[in-house]
Amino acid sequence: MRSPAADTADVPAPAVGVLLPRDLPAGRILPYARRAEALGFDAVWVVEDLGFRGGVAQAAAVLASTDRIRVGIGLLPAGARNVAFAALEIASLAQLFPGRVDVAIGHGMPHWMRSVGQWPGSPLTLLREYVDALRALLHGELTRRHGRYVRLDDVRLDPSALPGVVPDILAGVRGPRSLAVSGEVADGTVLAEPVTPEYARVALGHIAAGGRHRLVAYNVASVAPDRATALAAARPGLEWIGEPDWHPHIAPLPFADELVALRAASASREEFVRRMPDTWVARLAVAGTTEDARARLAELRAAGVTDAVLAPVGADPVGALESLATLLGAGPVGGVESVGGVPGVRGPEGAGTPSTPEAPGAS
């Protein structure tokens, strides 16, 4: 039988980054980022989930404590910040740490945004207006906008505040219409976990970008010398994917109907994920032996993923970085071949879900 690695052997691997867990104790955040840099990861992505930590503050701290690694913010909800003041923060980061910043803008989770009174009548219109205005401001343009949501009268950044390298502005979205908007106005798209090759291809079909467009894919990740151990560690990170919000991720899969039926037949998310076959876990996560996980990254690259972002699992995320780092070279990094920590359970939106399905009536 031909292996997945054989089919994708001539395809370069995507850039590989790691997600900084949203609930990591404060004293471990900077050691986590510094260890990720030392191990050779290309990026650290921080999240801004309601009730946890702010994305800009985390990004600034991580950038200041490291020397090389890129830092992505995934994501800033458009409804939460005036675009001109968001431009001040982003420009400051990009000026202080040139070429090391990526920023994703998105709708935010509807129930979060409604709870703070910031869910717009038309999330797509807001996203389009916001990204367009943000880009203009970061390029130093005198900006006039009188849109439905974004209203600016002769606003511009002072030349002293303009970054020499304007960061990519990505959209963290997942529904078909939001993906199409991302293809029109953004430099790339951030997809929440799980991202399978099937989902990546469908998403790119909706994005339909005419030029360069990055595709950043979050995935639960676990690597161990024993495949069963890695799959068992990854399993708890998938407990939310049976909920309706995750339908766009699941619909392209050949077992989509079976997955929906399993969730309906399960009394809880814990029961659902416990009953999930190992074959599904292997398709829905970057998990297994180092060879398995490398083959999965190559499949994602072949499907159009440019940036793979791995979400470590377990009680010891810093330790888990060691095992994930075996994916970066021809062999184990630093001779480490063991999984760090034990399986852990992530929150209801995942570790920083960057998008939301389109709400009924959104336009």
Side-chain angles (χ1 to χ4, degrees):
M1 180 177 176
R2 185 175 174 84
S3 71
D7 289 329
T8 57
D10 58 343
V11 179
V16 180
V18 290
L19 199 67
L20 195 156
R22 66 182 184 178
D23 57 354
L24 192 66
R28 303 186 72 190
I29 290 174
L30 300 186
Y32 180 98
R34 288 192 288 263
R35 189 60 185 148
E37 179 172 73
L39 288 167
F41 287 99
D42 297 300
V44 170
W45 282 77
V46 302
V47 302
E48 181 170 275
D49 286 353
L50 185 62
F52 289 84
R53 298 184 177 102
V56 175
Q58 289 181 90
V62 170
L63 286 161
S65 69
T66 54
D67 298 314
R68 169 198 60 81
I69 202 164
R70 293 180 71 89
V71 178
I73 305 175
L75 55 74
L76 301 178
R81 287 179 177 79
N82 177 281
V83 68
F85 288 91
L88 299 185
E89 300 284 4
I90 295 166
S92 297
L93 288 178
Q95 192 177 56
L96 292 167
F97 307 99
R100 295 181 58 201
V101 179
D102 292 310
V103 179
I105 308 296
H107 304 312
M109 298 300 291
H111 62 285
W112 287 349
M113 302 307 291
R114 289 189 179 104
S115 74
V116 297
Q118 297 297 328
W119 183 251
S122 178
L124 299 183
T125 300
L126 171 57
L127 184 66
R128 186 189 301 274
E129 293 179 357
Y130 198 99
V131 173
D132 173 71
L134 180 60
R135 175 174 286 104
L137 289 165
L138 292 176
H139 281 277
E141 297 177 18
L142 182 65
T143 306
R144 301 181 182 90
R145 297 289 190 279
H146 296 95
R148 180 172 174 181
Y149 297 103
V150 175
R151 299 173 188 178
L152 301 170
D153 288 304
D154 295 339
V155 178
R156 75 182 340 157
L157 295 186
D158 187 85
S160 67
L162 291 175
V165 179
V166 175
D168 281 348
I169 303 171
L170 303 98
V173 292
R174 57 175 130 187
R177 289 180 294 166
S178 294
L179 289 166
V181 170
S182 180
E184 294 172 20
V185 302
D187 299 309
T189 301
V190 179
L191 299 178
E193 71 281 6
V195 181
T196 62
E198 295 91 339
Y199 176 45
R201 291 188 180 97
V202 169
L204 284 171
H206 292 303
I207 291 166
R212 170 187 176 271
H213 192 92
R214 292 170 60 188
L215 190 66
V216 180
Y218 287 7
N219 271 304
V220 172
S222 175
V223 175
D226 174 65
R227 181 179 291 112
T229 299
L231 294 178
R235 183 180 294 273
L238 300 172
E239 70 170 36
W240 283 88
I241 67 168
E243 306 307 305
D245 284 354
W246 273 259
H247 177 74
H249 302 252
I250 304 306
L253 298 172
F255 53 88
D257 291 343
E258 295 172 80
L259 188 147
V260 171
L262 176 62
R263 180 63 187 97
S266 301
S268 65
R269 294 186 303 274
E270 292 79 9
E271 179 186 344
F272 161 70
V273 81
R274 186 171 62 249
R275 295 172 60 187
M276 188 182 295
D278 275 354
T279 53
W280 294 6
V281 176
R283 295 285 293 276
L284 294 164
V286 176
T289 66
T290 297
E291 182 182 26
D292 294 334
R294 283 180 180 157
R296 192 58 167 175
L297 290 178
E299 290 171 349
L300 289 168
R301 178 66 183 91
V305 170
T306 61
D307 301 71
V309 180
L310 308 178
V313 292
D316 180 14
V318 178
L321 290 177
E322 308 287 339
S323 59
L324 296 182
T326 66
L327 305 181
L328 301 179
V333 174
V336 178
E337 294 184 310
S338 62
V339 147
V342 296
V345 178
R346 299 163 67 245
E349 270 63 56
T353 298
S355 63
T356 176
E358 291 138 2
S363 62

